[in-house]
Amino acid sequence: MNDPRSCDVVGIGFGPSNLGLAVALDEHNRGGGRLAGVFFERQEEFTWHRDMLIEGATVQVSFLKDLVTLRRPTSEYSFLAYLHAKERLIDFVNHKNLFPSRIEFNDYLRWVAGHFAHLVDYSCTVVGVRPVRHGGRVEAMDVTVRRGGPQGRLEVRRARNIVLGTGLRPALPPGTPVSARVWHSDELLTRISRLQGPPPRRIVVVGAGQSAAEVVEYAHRTFTDAEVCAVFARYGYSPADDSPFANRVFDPEAVDLHYAAGEDVRRMMSDYHRNTNYSVVDTDLIDELYRRFYQEKVSGRRRLRILNLSRVVEVLDTGDGVRVVVESLPSAELDVLDADLVVLATGYRESDVFGLLGEMGEHCLRDQRGRPRVTRDYRVETADDVECGIYLQGPTEHTHGISSGLLSNIAVRSGEILHSIAVRSGQSPRPAPASRNGSAAQAPTAALAAAGGRRDGAGPWEPGEEA
Ligand SMILES: Cc1cc2nc3c(=O)[nH]c(=O)nc-3n(C[C@H](O)[C@H](O)[C@H](O)COP(=O)(O)OP(=O)(O)OC[C@H]3O[C@@H](n4cnc5c(N)ncnc54)[C@H](O)[C@@H]3O)c2cc1C
């Protein structure tokens, strides 16, 4: 079937991953390709984790791991090209810093997104995907999109390939009652901006990962009369492993190794290197929190309380405050905190692939644990009668390793996905993205190493179980 109404690529979500794909698509078409693409994004405009754009927070990855450089160092959509366009290149160089602020990196991403506005429908939420059969085969998919808010009208777009780039989902402890005073860190800045009445006097922050530490720092700095209580099960915040050999776990080559390995070795790799990314905190931030903690001991005006080896056993919004019951793990003693706000920095989960795919999900193959089976080119394995392609940007940690949900590999992964789509569409693609043993990817990788890279992880995206 060659339905002219169907699009070669429909991207679901337009965060950094699918923005990277839009750049790769553009490169392909400028090189003589003819792939038509459209992206649907539920936000009204491009923003990267808008509620965690905390003043002073930095990106946990070198700027050289932008949307393009590791695939195509000469691209006009690199972070350096952005700095040049903004007339800040020399100032950035003088800054001697590989890790821009999140606010600046968001501005970079928005700058790139602005070049691709014609490919994106904002305020559009994809709500399901249905197979389109022809002659007994599934040759396309109908992507159902809700335009506008919950009452918005439904539209259908036909696709020969879809690429899911829907990001992470906030994870809340089971049974936690979300309210105006109790919410996930993913909503931080919006919720804070809506606060009414007198400033909070006590804020409880649950969690021990990067987001939790950032929220503690932010709350302590912003609400200068408030007590900030950090509650977590660990003894102390743990530093991220940002050493150079461990950081190689985020390299494009590590994806090959992870993919080729058996289940046991994959698990071993992930376990060994969890502390590059999960439930760990930037050392500078740990030091800053400790500095404040100690200074308050000296001054006697103590506002930063660390309730370590502890867990929250009850959260109750009483209408004019929140009652938080905290259990000390060694003694089992209970401490009742009357708080004004509770921020649950309890991590994120991968997106729900099958929930989004709906009917089309029935044609996808799963592994023994119910996760999608995925080929090396990030394509979901499907039943034999399916000819169209479903690609995943993100929820492939089980097959492609720890960098799946991060920025680290977007440039290379987007190129690989686009290459796969082009080949399957019968278009002679540009040369395959050189991600592994040579050519284009090597130069910037070496440059990064020479420049003394910090880790890619230490993310605020620690898994939900950590508190
Ligand atoms: C606070 C925070 C800071 C982080 N910092 C770093 C960092 O410094 N370095 C790093 O490597 N990683 C970091 N991460 C990890 C993060 O996953 C990546 O930075 C990056 O956002 C991944 O891009 P993405 O496009 O895959 O997902 P996202 O950025 O989450 O984008 C997904 C997009 O899909 C949209 N969407 C979702 N569902 C639908 C739907 N049904 N229909 C339409 N649109 C939809 C969402 O609105 C969103 O815009 C951070 C994560 C968080 C939460």
Short mmCIF file of all heavy atoms in Angstrom, two decimals, residues 34 39 45 62 66 103 111 123 129 167 215 254 309 317 319 327 344 356 361-362 383 385 395 399 406 425 456:
data_model
loop_
_atom_site.label_atom_id
_atom_site.label_comp_id
_atom_site.label_asym_id
_atom_site.label_seq_id
_atom_site.Cartn_x
_atom_site.Cartn_y
_atom_site.Cartn_z
N ARG A 34 13.76 11.80 0.84
CA ARG A 34 12.39 12.32 0.71
C ARG A 34 11.50 11.72 1.80
O ARG A 34 10.48 11.14 1.51
CB ARG A 34 11.81 11.96 -0.67
CG ARG A 34 12.35 12.77 -1.84
CD ARG A 34 12.05 12.13 -3.17
NE ARG A 34 12.88 10.93 -3.38
CZ ARG A 34 12.49 9.67 -3.17
NH1 ARG A 34 11.29 9.38 -2.77
NH2 ARG A 34 13.32 8.65 -3.39
N PHE A 39 5.63 15.72 14.01
CA PHE A 39 5.79 15.40 15.43
C PHE A 39 4.61 15.98 16.21
O PHE A 39 4.15 17.09 15.90
CB PHE A 39 7.11 15.99 15.97
CG PHE A 39 8.33 15.37 15.33
CD1 PHE A 39 8.78 15.82 14.09
CD2 PHE A 39 9.00 14.34 15.94
CE1 PHE A 39 9.90 15.25 13.49
CE2 PHE A 39 10.13 13.76 15.36
CZ PHE A 39 10.57 14.22 14.12
N GLU A 45 4.48 24.53 23.93
CA GLU A 45 5.69 24.96 23.24
C GLU A 45 6.83 24.08 23.73
O GLU A 45 6.66 23.34 24.70
CB GLU A 45 6.00 26.43 23.58
CG GLU A 45 6.13 26.64 25.07
CD GLU A 45 6.46 28.07 25.46
OE1 GLU A 45 6.55 28.93 24.57
OE2 GLU A 45 6.64 28.30 26.67
N SER A 62 28.22 16.61 29.30
CA SER A 62 28.99 17.62 28.59
C SER A 62 28.16 18.25 27.47
O SER A 62 27.39 17.55 26.80
CB SER A 62 30.23 16.96 27.98
OG SER A 62 30.76 17.77 26.97
N ASP A 66 25.45 17.21 22.78
CA ASP A 66 24.22 17.92 22.40
C ASP A 66 23.43 17.05 21.41
O ASP A 66 23.65 15.85 21.32
CB ASP A 66 24.60 19.30 21.81
CG ASP A 66 25.53 19.17 20.61
OD1 ASP A 66 25.59 18.08 20.00
OD2 ASP A 66 26.21 20.15 20.27
N ILE A 103 19.07 26.00 32.54
CA ILE A 103 18.33 27.08 31.88
C ILE A 103 18.94 27.37 30.51
O ILE A 103 18.23 27.53 29.51
CB ILE A 103 18.32 28.33 32.80
CG1 ILE A 103 17.44 28.05 34.02
CG2 ILE A 103 17.86 29.58 32.04
CD1 ILE A 103 17.46 29.13 35.08
N TRP A 111 16.08 26.84 20.88
CA TRP A 111 16.63 27.46 19.67
C TRP A 111 16.60 26.47 18.51
O TRP A 111 16.17 26.80 17.40
CB TRP A 111 18.06 27.93 19.98
CG TRP A 111 18.82 28.49 18.82
CD1 TRP A 111 18.72 29.74 18.29
CD2 TRP A 111 19.84 27.80 18.07
NE1 TRP A 111 19.62 29.88 17.25
CE2 TRP A 111 20.31 28.70 17.10
CE3 TRP A 111 20.40 26.52 18.14
CZ2 TRP A 111 21.32 28.37 16.19
CZ3 TRP A 111 21.39 26.18 17.23
CH2 TRP A 111 21.84 27.10 16.27
N SER A 123 0.52 21.28 21.62
CA SER A 123 -0.79 21.11 22.27
C SER A 123 -1.54 19.93 21.68
O SER A 123 -2.76 19.93 21.56
CB SER A 123 -1.65 22.37 22.14
OG SER A 123 -1.01 23.46 22.73
N VAL A 129 -2.85 4.24 19.11
CA VAL A 129 -2.34 3.88 17.78
C VAL A 129 -3.05 2.61 17.33
O VAL A 129 -3.12 1.63 18.07
CB VAL A 129 -0.81 3.62 17.84
CG1 VAL A 129 -0.27 3.34 16.44
CG2 VAL A 129 -0.06 4.80 18.47
N GLY A 167 9.48 10.28 26.87
CA GLY A 167 10.18 10.63 28.09
C GLY A 167 9.81 9.78 29.29
O GLY A 167 9.24 8.70 29.18
N VAL A 215 16.06 20.15 45.14
CA VAL A 215 14.87 20.77 45.74
C VAL A 215 15.19 21.26 47.15
O VAL A 215 14.77 22.35 47.56
CB VAL A 215 13.67 19.78 45.75
CG1 VAL A 215 12.49 20.39 46.50
CG2 VAL A 215 13.26 19.43 44.32
N ALA A 254 29.05 1.46 24.20
CA ALA A 254 28.48 0.67 25.31
C ALA A 254 27.10 0.14 24.94
O ALA A 254 26.66 -0.89 25.45
CB ALA A 254 28.41 1.52 26.58
N LEU A 309 18.29 7.61 57.26
CA LEU A 309 17.84 6.29 57.74
C LEU A 309 16.38 6.37 58.17
O LEU A 309 15.99 5.84 59.22
CB LEU A 309 18.72 5.81 58.90
CG LEU A 309 20.18 5.49 58.57
CD1 LEU A 309 20.94 5.08 59.82
CD2 LEU A 309 20.30 4.41 57.51
N ASP A 317 -2.94 15.42 54.19
CA ASP A 317 -3.24 16.84 54.00
C ASP A 317 -4.43 17.16 54.90
O ASP A 317 -5.54 16.64 54.69
CB ASP A 317 -3.56 17.11 52.53
CG ASP A 317 -3.66 18.61 52.24
OD1 ASP A 317 -4.02 19.37 53.16
OD2 ASP A 317 -3.37 19.01 51.09
N GLY A 319 -5.87 20.05 55.37
CA GLY A 319 -6.66 21.21 54.96
C GLY A 319 -5.90 22.50 55.16
O GLY A 319 -5.89 23.37 54.31
N GLU A 327 9.30 7.52 60.08
CA GLU A 327 9.81 6.45 60.94
C GLU A 327 11.33 6.39 60.84
O GLU A 327 11.88 6.35 59.73
CB GLU A 327 9.22 5.10 60.51
CG GLU A 327 9.70 3.95 61.37
CD GLU A 327 9.27 2.59 60.83
OE1 GLU A 327 8.72 2.55 59.70
OE2 GLU A 327 9.51 1.59 61.50
N LEU A 344 7.78 15.35 46.80
CA LEU A 344 8.18 13.96 46.63
C LEU A 344 9.16 13.88 45.47
O LEU A 344 8.76 13.87 44.29
CB LEU A 344 6.95 13.10 46.36
CG LEU A 344 5.91 13.15 47.48
CD1 LEU A 344 4.54 12.74 46.98
CD2 LEU A 344 6.34 12.29 48.65
N LEU A 356 0.43 3.47 25.60
CA LEU A 356 0.29 4.45 24.53
C LEU A 356 -0.06 3.79 23.19
O LEU A 356 -0.89 4.32 22.42
CB LEU A 356 1.60 5.23 24.38
CG LEU A 356 1.59 6.36 23.35
CD1 LEU A 356 0.57 7.42 23.73
CD2 LEU A 356 2.96 6.99 23.25
N GLY A 361 -0.31 -2.21 20.18
CA GLY A 361 0.55 -2.94 21.11
C GLY A 361 0.34 -4.44 21.04
O GLY A 361 1.25 -5.22 21.33
N GLU A 362 -0.85 -4.84 20.62
CA GLU A 362 -1.13 -6.29 20.54
C GLU A 362 -0.29 -6.96 19.46
O GLU A 362 -0.14 -8.17 19.45
CB GLU A 362 -2.62 -6.51 20.25
CG GLU A 362 -3.50 -6.08 21.41
CD GLU A 362 -4.95 -5.92 21.01
OE1 GLU A 362 -5.35 -6.49 19.97
OE2 GLU A 362 -5.67 -5.19 21.71
N ALA A 383 4.75 -8.78 15.17
CA ALA A 383 4.29 -10.02 14.54
C ALA A 383 4.64 -9.97 13.05
O ALA A 383 4.84 -8.90 12.48
CB ALA A 383 2.78 -10.16 14.75
N ASP A 385 3.06 -10.22 10.39
CA ASP A 385 2.20 -9.54 9.42
C ASP A 385 2.34 -8.01 9.47
O ASP A 385 1.64 -7.29 8.78
CB ASP A 385 0.73 -9.93 9.64
CG ASP A 385 0.23 -9.54 11.02
OD1 ASP A 385 1.08 -9.27 11.90
OD2 ASP A 385 -1.00 -9.48 11.22
N PRO A 395 12.61 4.20 26.32
CA PRO A 395 12.32 3.03 27.19
C PRO A 395 12.99 1.75 26.70
O PRO A 395 12.34 0.74 26.46
CB PRO A 395 10.79 2.94 27.13
CG PRO A 395 10.40 3.59 25.85
CD PRO A 395 11.46 4.59 25.51
N THR A 399 17.38 -3.25 26.98
CA THR A 399 18.08 -3.80 25.82
C THR A 399 19.31 -2.98 25.43
O THR A 399 20.31 -3.53 25.00
CB THR A 399 17.13 -3.85 24.61
OG1 THR A 399 16.45 -2.58 24.51
CG2 THR A 399 16.12 -4.98 24.74
N LEU A 406 18.70 9.11 28.75
CA LEU A 406 19.49 10.33 28.99
C LEU A 406 19.74 11.10 27.69
O LEU A 406 19.38 10.65 26.61
CB LEU A 406 20.82 9.94 29.63
CG LEU A 406 20.71 9.15 30.92
CD1 LEU A 406 22.07 8.74 31.42
CD2 LEU A 406 19.97 9.95 31.98
N SER A 425 12.44 2.25 4.00
CA SER A 425 11.56 2.98 3.08
C SER A 425 12.10 2.91 1.65
O SER A 425 11.56 3.54 0.74
CB SER A 425 11.45 4.45 3.49
OG SER A 425 11.00 4.54 4.82
N ASP A 456 27.72 11.60 32.86
CA ASP A 456 26.50 11.90 32.12
C ASP A 456 25.29 11.74 33.02
O ASP A 456 24.23 12.22 32.72
CB ASP A 456 26.34 10.90 30.97
CG ASP A 456 27.31 11.23 29.87
OD1 ASP A 456 28.24 12.00 30.12
OD2 ASP A 456 27.13 10.69 28.78
#
